[in-house]
Each structure stands twice: as C-alpha cells, then as structure tokens.
Amino acid sequence: MTALRNTVTMLAATGALALYCQQAYCQQVSAQSKDAEPSTRAANAAFATSLPFSDRADFDDARRGFIATLPDGVVAGPRGPAFDTKPYAFLQKDEVPPTVNPSLWRQAQLDAINGLFKVTDRVYQVRGIDISNMTIIEGDSGLIVIDTLLSNETAKAALDLYLKNRPAKPVVAVIYTHSHIDHFGGAGGVISADDAASGKVKVLAPDRFMDYAVSENVIAGNAMRRRAQYMYGPSLPVSDRGQIDTGLGKALSRGTVSLIPPNDLIKQDTETRKIDGVEIEFHLVPGSEAPAEMILYVPQFKLLDMAEDATHNMHNLYTLRGAEIRDGRLWSRYIGDAIARYGDRTDAVIAQHHWPMWGNDRIVAYLKKQRDLYKFIHDQSVRLLNQGLTPTEIADRLRLPPSLANEWSARGYYGTLSHNAKAVYQFYLGWYDANPADLDPLPRAEAARKQVDYMGGADAVIQHAREDFKAGQYRWVASVMSQVVFADPANKQARELGADALEQLGYQSEAATWRNAYLVGASELRGAPLPSQASAANAELLRGVSIDLAFDFLGVRLNGPKASGKHIVINWTFSDRNETHVMNLENSALTHRAGKPDDKADTSVRLTRATFDAISARQRGFPDAIAAGEVVLSGDPSKLRELFALFDDFAPGFEIVEPRKASVE
Ligand SMILES: [Zn+2]
C-alpha cells in the first residue's frame, strides 16, 4: 500500500462545491430561465406515454421499512447546510412540470424519499440525505457501518438518526465498499481516526483501496472538478427549471470530507470474515464501477449488497466529469457471478445508492437485467464499431431492446446509452475515428471562424438557427450556435439562442447528469460567473498521496515552454519518511526516482512531507521555510526557486462553453 499513512481531512474533494446556489447569481440564473417550448412539451408528453408509469413497485420498495427522518430536513455544515431536503419539496407534485422529463421526475421523486429504513432484521439503511446510502448492520455487541456517505456532517446525522431510533451501540467496524469519495468521505463523522489507527475499530476495504481513493482525482483533478460542476449542477437553483436530482441520488452533500485509511484489506477474490459475530462474504469486483470495489453477502440475513454494481438505473461506463473508461464486459460478468453465487439464497438486495428490493424471484430478475444491460451496451457498441460505424453514429442508432427499455432500473438517469456507447468505442479504439480528415483538424475556435464565414456570416447562421429552434431542432441549434460563439464569444444573440437550445435539451433529458450539464452550460452562456476560488480540496487531497504521485503531479504542472533548455537536478530527503528522491528536469520533462541522492545535484533539500506539501501548494515560500529552519538546503538555492517558478497554477474556473479568455502558454 503506497498511498496514505496519516489521516487526511479535506474539504469536499468533489470540489464542485465552490459555488453554492444561495449566491445572488443563482437568483439571476433563475430569473433568466425560460419556460418549456411547445416541442419540449410535446416530447415530454410523448415520453409520459412510452413507459410503464403505472408500475409503482419502486415506490413501495423505497418507502418500505421507514422508521423516521431528520425532523427539520437539514444537516448543518461548515458553510451553510451540508444537506437540505426541503428545497426538493416541489417534487411531491404528481403533475410533472413541462420543464422536466417525466421519467427523470419519477426518479427524482424516488430519490427524494429519505430517512432511516429497516431492510431486514438487524439491517438498516439511511437514504436520501446525501448522494449515497449508509448501511448499518447490528452485530452482537456493536454496529457495522457499510459506507460513510460523502461528508462527516451527513454521516454523523445518519448515525444519529439511527441511534435515536434503535438501541445505542458503538460502531465496531466500518466497511468501505469502494474507492469513490461518496462512500468513505464521511468516515470522520462516524469513527475517530485514532480508533481506526489503533485497530479498536475495524476498517475494511477492498484491495488497493488507498491507491485509488485519492489518485483517481489528483493528476487530472482540476479539470475533473470543473467538469463535475456541469454533471452535478451544484450552481443551479433547485427547482423545476434547475437541479432536481443527480440520477444516482438527490445531490452531493457540502460538508467536511475525511479519509480514514482502512486497517484491514480484502485481497482474495472471495473472503469470508466474521465481524462482531456476523459472517460476511466479500467478493472483489475490481475494474467495474470503481477500480477497487467489492460486493458483500451476509448469509445469516440472506442479504446481498451489490455496492454500486447494480443500482436502479443505467450507470456510467464513462462519467461526464471524466475518468478512465469502465469495462462493461467485466462489469456484466461480475453481476453474473453474483447471481450464480448468491441468486438462490438472497431474500433482500441492497446497494449503496437507491433503494432495496425484496423477494428472491424479483431480485434475480432484476440482477439479470442489470447483467444484460451492461453486456448489451458493450457488445452492440462493439458490433457496430466493427461494422465501421463511428462514435456519434453508434450513439445515435443504439436502442435498448424493449425487454430492457421498459425496465425502470435500466433507464439512463446517471449514465446514458449514448455516452456509454461512445465510451465503449473509446475503450477499444480511442478518440480517432480513422478518417484522416479528422486526424488533424483546426482547433475549435479557428475552425468555427472559417465555418461561420463559409456559411455566410454569423447573422445568416443565427437567422437559420432561429427557424430550426422553432422547429424543435435543439441538438443542432445548440451545436451550430456553439460554433458561432467560438468564432465570436461576444456575439450576444448566438449566446442567447445557444443557451435557449441547451435549456430545452435539459428540460427533455431523462438523464439528470445531462439535464444538469445542459442547464449549467445555458447559465454560463447567459453570463453566470465561473468559479473563481480554488477549491481547498486539492492541496488537502495531495497530502494523502505518495511522494511519487505528488512529484508526478508537479510534473503535470511543469510549464514545458518555460522550462525549455533548463537542466536542474534536486535531491529531496523527507526527514519524517526516511525517503530520498532525485528529481531531474531536462528536455522540459520532470522525472524522479526514489533511491540514492545524486552527487552532482544542483541542490539537496531536507524537509518534512508537510512542509513540501505547503510549498508545492504555494501556501509557503522557500525563503520563509528556510528562515524557519523547516528546510535545510545545500548547494545552489537559486535552482530551487527557478524550478518552482516553472509550475503552473491551474485556474479552477476555466471556460467550457466558449473559448478560454486568458491565454495559456
Ligand atoms: Zn457512489
């Protein structure tokens, strides 16, 4: 295990949270929003007749076993509420507003059902007060908590809600099902880091949990956090013209995020452990929904916990915030394995998002559909790419068979068939469609200026596009107005028409992630400010990573052109870690290796990891740290300053729906 030895406390690493929709600009976003156009009304009305809305079994399941919920619906946080269920009260309406896809409305209603629920004897869940679920198993002497939500505040509120309604017992074990932050970020609200470190509380996770818990979000972290704002829509007003759900749960909480490292790992494909008198079978499913993940089976309760590999929607093979592509073939196989292993002895299935399902026949039927959903997406996308279709062609053509399409749990609320099909293409073939005309096209803004010019200028394009807008051709209008905006970001008419088209697309989207992305895009075209504050998360998150990864992250901050012609060698000794690394800048590339110091280094530096982190996050300068005796230098000190002047600081709020304003060297 390379990554983390100390407890890390960080502020919401999902970072999307820099903007919060209580700000004045949020009211401005609300005021600018428009109503559903006739084409959108018609499309949403047609949707309402295309699916089995009379099937209300999910609502029964989502409400079954309800015990109690938060009395005032609010969890307090460090900067305003960490979670607030009240703004979502409008979802109680039976009549679907024309600005929301009816299928998404249904999912948003289901995700709004919140509180403490009994799953089966000795098994409880807290749902709907964060994007994910907390599962609590009553052991012989204490509580086994499976997943700890995203923030300490919501996790504590979840546990308190349980304790208020059930006999008080201490938490004796925490299990992280996988390496995503909405499953471990709230651990600090449930147990203390000291109790985990001493082993007093068992903290179990799948093999390589720590490698992935932070590393997945570091190297490309700045871009991911910015993109996450589009996907989750925290800057949008909560309303029927704004954010209503994420598809996977109501919303991300906005609290304090912690990472308490596990003190025990599941390393074999299958391992059975007895925890506080409860036998639990763990089954590793690496490389499915997360790089490190496991599902659980509890024979005593005939309970199967599918972690995040089977939820009540089509999940992501590609997540819009950006991440490595997930393998649908493997994912499907794991669900098949779970059916074979546990299918005939499961009475209740839960996951760490959404609601449970009871009854063996129903469970097996549901899991089979989930298994086949991911296999279908994989196989049919590959079939079509082997027939020579390109990503957009595959995405546009692919349709689920009716046996899956009419299954609520296969609908795309978080993932979509469209972007998942493109993910399969990318998994096997990458970004290039093999047409050499697409091999080296002009960059977007330059191409846009040419195209708009060829099309007779911006006014002619906008005039045409207005007709298409009236005809409901929003996909095309959004796309062509983006060309005009990239040709001339100051073109107000193009921005407004583009925003209007994105907005209608958002209103029609069945996927919450698409709705959020479209509506955030529209708000930014209409002038909503970009996030300007760097998220504290990044600096905090970096404390948790290995020195290797921290140096790799410096490497991606190195400004290549500025570094041209420079050769700098630095020995780094971390006095608190007993580690020495040699860093080499040459050919505008920063490399490093652990081991013996280099005799010919320009400079040798001795410091602690904490000092290094503060300097690399520019919270401290070298002169200051040297004066304080925290950095001991030998050799040429100017080389160190020279090196650190070559690192870029990433802007948290770069433009997305228009060309970047500030130049990038
Ligand atoms: Zn999750």
Side-chain angles (χ1 to χ4, degrees):
M1 191 167 70
T2 53
L4 189 122
R5 291 170 184 88
N6 303 314
T7 300
V8 183
T9 303
M10 53 204 158
L11 284 172
T14 29
L17 323 181
L19 284 177
Y20 188 16
C21 206
Q22 281 177 341
Q23 295 162 357
Y25 103 94
C26 191
Q27 285 143 21
Q28 178 194 326
V29 169
S30 290
Q32 287 171 329
S33 69
K34 297 188 177 157
D35 205 352
E37 287 286 316
S39 299
T40 294
R41 287 170 190 270
N44 283 343
F47 221 98
T49 61
S50 68
L51 288 168
F53 282 90
S54 58
D55 172 4
R56 303 280 293 176
D58 283 329
F59 286 89
D60 297 338
D61 288 340
R63 293 193 183 109
R64 177 167 159 174
F66 175 78
I67 295 169
T69 193
L70 304 172
D72 57 358
V74 183
V75 180
R79 296 151 297 170
F83 202 87
D84 191 351
T85 62
K86 292 192 305 295
Y88 295 98
F90 68 92
L91 287 164
Q92 299 304 325
K93 283 188 294 190
D94 279 336
E95 199 188 333
V96 185
T99 53
V100 182
N101 177 294
S103 174
L104 176 57
W105 183 260
R106 178 186 183 277
Q107 184 80 349
Q109 285 185 321
L110 285 159
D111 283 341
I113 298 169
N114 60 76
L116 170 70
F117 300 84
K118 177 176 176 176
V119 178
T120 183
D121 277 346
R122 293 173 63 180
V123 180
Y124 295 80
Q125 280 194 316
V126 179
R127 304 195 291 266
I129 64 165
D130 204 323
I131 191 172
S132 43
N133 297 342
M134 179 184 289
T135 303
I136 298 169
I137 297 181
E138 296 175 347
D140 287 350
S141 66
L143 305 174
I144 303 161
V145 173
I146 304 173
D147 289 354
T148 56
L149 308 181
L150 171 60
S151 340
N152 291 345
E153 290 83 354
T154 49
K156 182 171 187 308
L159 184 62
D160 287 348
L161 180 61
Y162 168 87
L163 291 171
K164 225 173 106 181
N165 291 281
R166 295 288 304 158
K169 284 183 177 179
V171 174
V172 294
V174 166
I175 296 169
Y176 302 137
T177 59
H178 61 291
S179 53
H180 289 155
I181 196 161
D182 53 325
H183 300 267
F184 65 78
V190 171
I191 55 169
S192 80
D194 289 345
D195 284 351
S198 72
K200 187 178 165 201
V201 175
K202 184 183 268 302
V203 183
L204 258 171
D207 196 26
R208 305 200 61 196
F209 171 86
M210 288 306 295
D211 290 347
Y212 292 112
V214 279
S215 69
E216 224 194 355
N217 302 308
V218 170
I219 292 285
N222 192 61
M224 281 187 184
R225 278 185 291 279
R226 173 71 174 122
R227 296 164 59 120
Q229 292 169 339
Y230 271 65
M231 172 177 176
Y232 295 109
S235 65
L236 295 171
V238 172
S239 80
D240 59 13
R241 293 185 186 185
Q243 198 265 6
I244 66 164
D245 206 65
T246 71
L248 199 59
K250 193 52 43 214
L252 301 171
S253 62
R254 303 171 155 100
T256 313
V257 173
S258 56
L259 172 48
I260 296 182
N263 52 30
D264 193 2
L265 294 176
I266 300 295
K267 294 192 165 184
Q268 309 299 320
D269 283 354
T270 340
E271 279 187 42
T272 303
R273 301 283 184 91
K274 201 160 215 173
I275 302 171
D276 196 26
V278 181
E279 190 178 289
I280 303 180
E281 199 172 317
F282 296 91
H283 181 49
L284 292 180
V285 290
S288 53
E289 186 266 334
E293 187 151 1
M294 59 187 182
I295 60 175
L296 286 68
Y297 179 74
V298 191
Q300 188 178 345
F301 310 130
K302 296 195 167 194
L303 175 82
L304 176 62
D305 183 346
M306 288 299 289
E308 204 165 323
D309 270 12
T311 51
H312 288 280
N313 78 153
M314 178 198 296
H315 211 292
N316 282 314
L317 297 185
Y318 170 72
T319 172
L320 299 184
R321 75 189 162 90
E324 286 180 22
I325 302 295
R326 300 157 188 169
D327 184 353
R329 187 173 60 136
L330 199 58
W331 193 331
S332 168
R333 187 175 300 168
Y334 289 139
I335 299 175
D337 287 349
I339 297 169
R341 253 177 235 274
Y342 312 117
D344 59 356
R345 47 185 179 127
T346 296
D347 288 346
V349 69
I350 55 172
Q352 297 304 128
H353 291 271
H354 297 141
W355 49 94
M357 185 183 274
W358 292 266
N360 186 261
D361 291 352
R362 290 180 71 213
I363 290 167
V364 172
Y366 155 72
L367 289 176
K368 281 181 171 176
K369 301 254 171 168
Q370 288 279 304
R371 173 196 67 191
D372 295 344
L373 174 65
Y374 297 108
K375 193 66 162 54
F376 175 89
I377 299 168
H378 172 276
D379 288 359
Q380 294 308 308
S381 301
V382 176
R383 178 178 74 85
L384 293 174
L385 72 84
N386 275 326
Q387 297 283 13
L389 269 61
T390 58
T392 45
E393 290 167 342
I394 298 170
D396 211 47
R397 163 188 300 221
L398 212 52
R399 295 282 180 277
L400 291 179
S403 58
L404 290 176
N406 288 316
E407 201 63 40
W408 290 112
S409 60
R411 304 298 306 178
Y413 301 113
Y414 194 53
T416 68
L417 192 54
S418 170
H419 74 247
N420 280 342
K422 290 175 181 169
V424 176
Y425 189 100
Q426 190 189 330
F427 186 82
Y428 287 103
L429 299 178
W431 62 270
Y432 178 44
D433 65 6
N435 178 348
D438 296 332
L439 190 52
D440 192 23
L442 293 176
R444 182 144 192 184
E446 214 177 319
R449 285 193 288 272
K450 284 269 184 208
Q451 279 166 353
V452 171
D453 187 34
Y454 276 33
M455 287 192 282
D459 289 348
V461 179
I462 292 168
Q463 198 185 335
H464 246 96
R466 286 200 196 288
E467 287 160 30
D468 277 337
F469 183 87
K470 276 197 204 109
Q473 302 282 317
Y474 307 124
R475 279 168 76 190
W476 170 246
V477 175
S479 162
V480 77
M481 281 306 98
S482 184
Q483 294 297 83
V484 180
V485 170
F486 268 78
D488 174 16
N491 190 319
K492 203 154 182 290
Q493 287 187 63
R495 295 181 75 105
E496 280 174 5
L497 186 55
D500 290 350
L502 289 178
E503 185 171 61
Q504 296 302 315
L505 289 170
Y507 292 165
Q508 289 185 28
S509 292
E510 185 180 26
T513 47
W514 282 34
R515 176 186 174 91
N516 293 335
Y518 283 132
L519 296 182
V520 173
S523 74
E524 290 186 4
L525 277 174
R526 288 169 179 157
L530 310 185
S532 57
Q533 269 187 328
S535 138
N538 200 36
E540 299 292 332
L541 191 69
L542 273 168
R543 285 186 208 165
V545 306
S546 66
I547 288 163
D548 265 341
L549 186 53
F551 280 1
D552 279 342
F553 185 60
L554 276 186
V556 302
R557 286 173 60 192
L558 180 79
N559 187 303
K562 274 194 208 161
S564 182
K566 293 187 191 290
H567 185 194
I568 299 174
V569 180
I570 303 202
N571 292 325
W572 295 89
T573 299
F574 291 89
S575 51
D576 54 337
R577 299 282 176 100
N578 254 334
E579 281 184 55
T580 297
H581 296 248
V582 182
M583 182 181 271
N584 185 68
L585 168 63
E586 202 172 359
N587 304 308
S588 290
L590 194 70
T591 55
H592 56 90
R593 59 180 174 75
K596 279 205 308 228
D598 185 331
D599 298 342
K600 298 195 190 80
D602 296 292
T603 313
S604 293
V605 188
R606 196 178 165 81
L607 77 183
T608 63
R609 176 62 195 273
T611 303
F612 169 80
D613 288 335
I615 291 170
S616 91
R618 302 205 199 276
Q619 290 158 348
R620 299 207 64 177
F622 273 112
D624 189 33
I626 292 166
E630 290 172 34
V631 171
V632 180
L633 269 181
S634 60
D636 182 357
S638 71
K639 287 290 178 186
L640 207 53
R641 282 200 299 276
E642 192 180 340
L643 176 68
F644 271 71
L646 299 174
F647 296 131
D648 277 0
D649 294 302
F650 298 127
F654 56 82
E655 291 81 359
I656 288 179
V657 291
E658 61 187 301
R660 213 189 127 92
K661 285 181 186 137
S663 66
V664 178
E665 284 174 68

